[in-house]
Amino acid sequence: RSTPLYSSAASDVYKSQSNNHPDNNDWSTGLTSCSLDWESCWWSAWCCCLVSARNKATFNLGSSIVEVRNIILFLLVIFILFSKVSIILALLLAVVGSVWYAYIRSSTRTTIRRQLHIRGSECDDFVFHLFLPWCSIAQEAREADIKIDKKLDLISGDDLSSIVFPQHPSNHLDNRQASDSNLSLIHT
């Protein structure tokens, strides 16, 4: 199982900001607000297709496993064309596929905006997903974290809201080191 994508501290900051403006029809965070939540920034930059699929499942717009499977199939087709047939054809398919994927993701963003009554246009959504896909996907994920409050597994789409995750091992090391240093002070 994967861990939740967002830390509770970042979520609390976003929720307190959004609660100040209950009638606000804008996104709760800015398009480039990844610096407020480094974890969403990292996941969206390196695994944007997984975060995108999970966003779709979080807003009940489709299955995350189907979306991941389609992306893997598309990449496999490009790889086969690139290695066996023609580099030019593979590059052309990659460009056309990227624009098509931006269109698909922008239609998902448009549906999310309509569900949450957020201002914007389909053209803006398409441009954001074509040129800033990582930022757009991270913004949608932060919005899901704020408004939906439902944690899903990145691949399977299983609900993780009821699972309690253990603390990171470094927290235990810090506590043990602190107690060891306290013992050494007592013995000296």
Side-chain angles (χ1 to χ4, degrees), residues 21-42:
H21 307 287
D23 297 328
N24 193 354
N25 290 330
D26 291 329
W27 292 93
S28 300
T29 61
L31 186 65
T32 58
S33 294
C34 281
S35 63
L36 298 175
D37 186 4
W38 289 104
E39 197 171 3
S40 71
C41 181
W42 188 92

Side-chain angles (χ1 to χ4, degrees), residues 77-94:
V77 167
I78 288 179
F79 175 74
I80 290 170
L81 286 175
F82 188 75
S83 63
K84 302 290 183 192
V85 180
S86 167
I87 293 172
I88 302 290
L89 184 60
L91 291 175
L92 180 63
L93 183 62

Side-chain angles (χ1 to χ4, degrees), residues 142-182:
R142 288 190 305 270
E143 201 70 21
D145 189 45
I146 294 165
K147 303 255 174 94
I148 305 297
D149 201 30
K150 179 170 145 184
K151 308 286 188 243
L152 299 179
D153 183 72
L154 284 173
I155 302 287
S156 69
D158 293 340
D159 190 2
L160 301 176
S161 299
S162 61
I163 299 174
V164 177
F165 292 94
Q167 288 185 340
H168 191 273
S170 67
N171 294 343
H172 298 296
L173 288 176
D174 293 341
N175 293 338
R176 188 173 42 225
Q177 288 170 347
S179 65
D180 289 345
S181 65
N182 289 341

Side-chain angles (χ1 to χ4, degrees), residues 87-131:
I87 293 172
I88 302 290
L89 184 60
L91 291 175
L92 180 63
L93 183 62
V95 169
V96 169
S98 297
V99 172
W100 174 80
Y101 188 65
Y103 172 75
I104 297 299
R105 285 298 315 142
S106 70
S107 64
T108 300
R109 184 178 175 89
T110 299
T111 305
I112 291 169
R113 276 190 315 94
R114 288 183 180 150
Q115 275 185 8
L116 301 176
H117 307 289
I118 296 173
R119 285 188 284 258
S121 70
E122 287 97 6
C123 183
D124 289 344
D125 296 339
F126 177 73
V127 169
F128 292 153
H129 271 285
L130 186 61
F131 295 107

